[in-house]
């Protein structure tokens, strides 16, 4: 429990809640219990409803809170507060990776990726989807594979292009960025190069640059490639690797109301996929003398770490199942999911430290284990923090009673409907 309270100290949780106005003058709401309820309540899954979160809170804190008192605290301010906690946790918790390539020469290796979350259709105005009568949000992560942290989290509607969530600048100097096809844009690659950074991206299917030079000499009667368009020669090649320089054309950003055309030379590498009888094609500005084609393919596999994070969030935490039509509640649950993931990984680090060195803990197996023990964690944490929840019988009466006295329960309705009418 000390590990968890070091990650999110109660004093820090309370002070930041007061700064943002999450807590009003009445001190009935106990912020540490409130936060940990969302973290472990989301992880548990079975109680991942607003009523379930309230019941978890009432079984942890010193005083129970009514449904109306609980729901009125689910505000945009609370969403911002939880996002701040995620940002805080990202600085403290390592996200393990399995990077195998030699990438020590870079200051950092960054991985940009995003995933779509399906939302209630009533949120289609706030979270515009690609298809009508749907709502969807996009979660964008910038993962630092070197420092084993997530450096940036952004949310937008589904229609927002991934590329708009990635900003170039001087921060890219001596950093290597790995992109999937959603971020493919020659102008972005040029800006990274001009800021002293490096990139590796898959080459789009419709990209057909002109080959300006071959970067590897082939013996015998090799097909000459210089001056030809890339797609025109691929089908005729059977070599294991393709390694060429290409020239691409793109539009610069707007300046004085116009966008000028420009060209840039990059490197295109192909690694033959024997099963599909074609090439995995990559575009990069990394030099051949330092990274051979096989090295680039190995480096690009680092992207799988972010894919695993998204898969864990969706399969273990059901991240894309938000059955609510309130925009700020969606954000609250999204940040609760990310907090659950961070706490899970922090505890995994602790377990790994305490276990025998030869033991291995696969992340998805650990996630399932963490979820199955989430309510126990919450109970033990409440005891550690010194909370004394009301007696069980009192909590059962509080939670199980009919809330709206003017609204008949089903049995009352049936009895009334089946009673014989009195003769006038």
């Amino acid at each position: 429990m000390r590990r968890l309270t070091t990650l999110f100290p109660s004093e820090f949780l309370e002070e930041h809640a007061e700064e943002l106005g999450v807590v009003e003058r009445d001190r009935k709401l106990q912020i540490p219990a409130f936060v940990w309820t969302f973290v472990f309540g989301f992880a548990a899954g079975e109680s991942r409803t607003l009523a379930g979160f309230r019941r978890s809170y009432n079984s942890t804190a010193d005083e129970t809170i009514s449904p109306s008192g609980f729901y009125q605290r689910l505000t945009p301010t609370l969403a911002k507060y939880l996002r701040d906690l995620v940002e805080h946790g990202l600085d403290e918790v390592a996200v393990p990776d399995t990077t195998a390539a030699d990438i020590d020469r870079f200051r950092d290796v960054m991985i940009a990726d995003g995933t779509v979350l399906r939302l209630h259709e009533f949120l289609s105005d706030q979270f515009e989807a690609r298809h009508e009568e749907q709502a969807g949000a996009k979660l964008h992560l910038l993962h630092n594979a070197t420092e084993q942290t997530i450096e940036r989290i952004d949310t937008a509607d589904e229609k927002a292009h991934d590329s708009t969530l990635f900003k170039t600048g001087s921060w890219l100097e001596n950093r290597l960025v790995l992109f999937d096809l959603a971020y493919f844009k020659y102008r972005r690659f040029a800006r990274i190069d001009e800021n002293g950074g490096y990139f590796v991206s898959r080459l789009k299917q419709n990209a057909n640059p002109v080959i300006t030079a071959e970067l590897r000499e082939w013996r015998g009667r090799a097909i000459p490639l210089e001056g030809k368009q890339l797609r025109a020669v691929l089908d005729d090649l059977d070599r294991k690797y393709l390694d060429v320089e290409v020239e691409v054309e793109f539009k610069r950003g707007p300046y004085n109301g116009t966008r000028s055309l420009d060209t840039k030379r990059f490197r295109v590498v192909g690694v033959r996929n024997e099963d599909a009888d074609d090439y995995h094609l990559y575009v990069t500005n990394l030099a051949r003398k330092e990274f051979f084609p096989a090295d680039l393919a190995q480096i690009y596999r680092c992207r799988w770490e972010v894919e695993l994070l998204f898969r864990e969030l969706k399969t273990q935490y059901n991240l894309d199942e938000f059955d609510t039509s309130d925009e700020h509640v969606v954000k609250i649950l999204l940040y609760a999911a990310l907090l659950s993931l961070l706490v899970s990984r922090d505890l995994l680090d602790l377990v790994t430290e305490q276990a025998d060195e030869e033991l291995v803990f696969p992340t998805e197996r650990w996630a399932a284990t963490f979820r199955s023990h989430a309510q126990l964690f919450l109970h033990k944490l409440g005891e550690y923090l010194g909370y004394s929840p009301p007696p069980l019988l009192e909590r059962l009466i509080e939670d199980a009673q009919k809330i709206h006295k003017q609204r008949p329960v089903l049995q009352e309705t049936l009895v009334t409907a089946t009673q014989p009418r009195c003769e006038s």
Side-chain angles (χ1 to χ4, degrees):
M1 297 303 109
R2 186 182 300 112
R3 180 77 169 230
L4 296 177
T5 54
T6 300
L7 177 61
F8 292 113
S10 295
E11 185 177 358
F12 163 72
L13 295 176
E14 292 168 346
E15 289 179 352
H16 193 55
E18 290 186 6
E19 289 173 6
L20 293 183
V22 175
V23 180
E24 299 176 358
R25 279 190 291 272
D26 71 303
R27 307 282 294 191
K28 184 176 181 180
L29 183 70
Q30 294 175 298
I31 281 293
F34 194 62
V35 170
W36 290 116
T37 290
F38 275 99
V39 171
F40 290 109
F42 199 97
E46 291 79 10
S47 62
R48 196 184 303 147
T49 63
L50 298 184
F53 286 125
R54 184 182 72 87
R55 285 192 289 268
S56 292
Y57 175 83
N58 285 347
S59 67
T60 305
D62 289 334
E63 296 184 43
T64 61
I65 188 170
S66 67
S68 61
F70 185 83
Y71 301 146
Q72 72 182 11
R73 287 171 167 82
L74 305 180
T75 63
T77 303
L78 176 62
K80 183 180 186 309
Y81 173 70
L82 294 181
R83 179 189 171 89
D84 289 348
L85 297 187
V86 172
E87 297 284 355
H88 171 82
L90 293 178
D91 293 335
E92 302 294 329
V93 179
V95 180
D97 74 302
T98 56
T99 303
D102 182 12
I103 52 177
D104 291 341
R105 60 147 296 182
F106 304 109
R107 181 160 55 129
D108 293 298
V109 176
M110 314 297 292
I111 307 172
D113 205 354
T115 191
V116 172
L117 313 175
R118 190 58 55 214
L119 306 178
H120 196 289
E121 61 182 8
F122 288 169
L123 288 169
S124 58
D125 289 340
Q126 296 93 331
F127 294 97
E128 192 174 1
R130 295 187 181 277
H131 303 287
E132 293 183 1
E133 299 182 355
Q134 288 187 359
K138 184 166 290 182
L139 174 64
H140 168 80
L141 299 181
L142 186 61
H143 175 44
N144 187 325
T146 304
E147 298 294 332
Q148 301 181 14
T149 59
I150 300 172
E151 292 214 353
R152 185 177 177 85
I153 293 175
D154 289 294
T155 55
D157 59 33
E158 181 187 355
K159 237 181 174 182
H161 200 280
D162 289 316
S163 63
T164 63
L165 301 174
F166 184 91
K167 307 297 182 183
T168 56
S170 58
W171 69 272
L172 288 160
E173 185 176 358
N174 202 29
R175 282 190 163 107
L176 171 65
V177 188
L178 309 180
F179 293 109
D180 74 353
L181 291 177
Y183 298 85
F184 187 94
K185 187 176 288 187
Y186 289 136
R187 179 160 63 94
R188 171 173 296 105
F189 301 156
R191 293 287 297 139
I192 293 173
D193 187 69
E194 290 157 5
N195 276 283
Y198 303 91
F199 69 90
V200 180
S201 169
R202 290 293 296 269
L203 189 71
K204 267 193 172 181
Q205 188 68 32
N206 61 355
N208 196 18
V210 175
I211 298 171
T212 56
E214 293 191 61
L215 301 179
R216 174 176 176 176
E217 294 184 2
W218 296 89
R219 296 178 181 177
R221 302 178 60 184
I223 299 174
L225 305 180
E226 188 173 338
K228 298 179 180 178
Q229 289 189 295
L230 179 68
R231 302 290 175 182
V233 299
L234 282 181
D235 290 342
D236 297 327
L237 300 178
D238 58 5
R239 60 188 68 170
K240 185 175 181 180
Y241 298 114
L242 172 72
D243 200 351
V244 296
E245 180 189 74
V246 301
E247 185 173 84
V248 301
E249 186 178 77
F250 61 95
K251 287 185 177 180
R252 288 286 183 180
Y255 181 75
N256 288 337
T258 61
R259 300 182 64 185
S260 60
L261 283 175
D262 202 351
T263 59
K264 194 86 172 177
R265 293 193 176 188
F266 295 126
R267 179 185 174 198
V268 168
V269 167
V271 178
R272 192 162 191 83
N273 179 4
E274 298 296 344
D275 293 335
D277 194 28
D278 62 4
Y279 288 94
H280 289 307
L281 296 172
Y282 307 93
V283 58
T284 183
N285 63 341
L286 295 176
R288 174 179 170 78
K289 64 181 180 181
E290 296 181 75
F291 296 94
F292 292 132
D295 297 328
L296 290 179
Q298 177 82 343
I299 288 173
Y300 196 77
R301 291 192 186 100
C302 295
R303 279 192 44 78
W304 183 238
E305 292 305 313
V306 171
E307 300 294 340
L308 289 177
L309 283 178
F310 285 140
R311 188 171 76 176
E312 181 178 334
L313 285 168
K314 287 191 172 184
T315 59
Q316 297 295 333
Y317 299 98
N318 296 327
L319 183 62
D320 54 351
E321 296 181 10
F322 293 138
D323 190 19
T324 175
S325 57
D326 291 329
E327 177 183 359
H328 55 275
V329 174
V330 168
K331 293 181 179 179
I332 287 170
L333 295 177
L334 170 62
Y335 297 133
L338 293 172
L339 285 171
S340 296
L341 177 65
L342 289 171
V343 168
S344 170
R345 291 303 176 88
D346 196 41
L347 290 176
L348 175 57
D349 285 345
L350 177 62
V351 168
T352 304
E353 291 170 7
Q354 299 297 320
D356 294 336
E357 290 184 2
E358 65 272 12
L359 295 180
V360 177
F361 301 96
T363 54
E364 290 199 16
R365 185 176 179 86
W366 164 256
T369 304
F370 172 73
R371 289 184 61 242
S372 66
H373 291 79
Q375 289 297 342
L376 178 60
F377 276 122
L378 183 60
H379 176 70
K380 292 292 186 182
L381 185 59
E383 289 182 343
Y384 182 80
L385 293 174
Y387 292 128
S388 300
L392 177 60
L393 181 59
E394 182 180 326
R395 283 182 278 132
L396 291 175
I397 294 172
E398 175 74 21
D399 286 339
Q401 65 179 288
K402 184 173 70 174
I403 300 173
H404 301 286
K405 293 185 179 180
Q406 75 280 10
R407 183 183 301 168
V409 295
L410 178 61
Q411 291 89 335
E412 295 172 353
T413 305
L414 289 174
V415 168
T416 303
T418 56
Q419 282 178 344
R421 296 183 179 179
C422 295
E423 295 183 2
S424 55

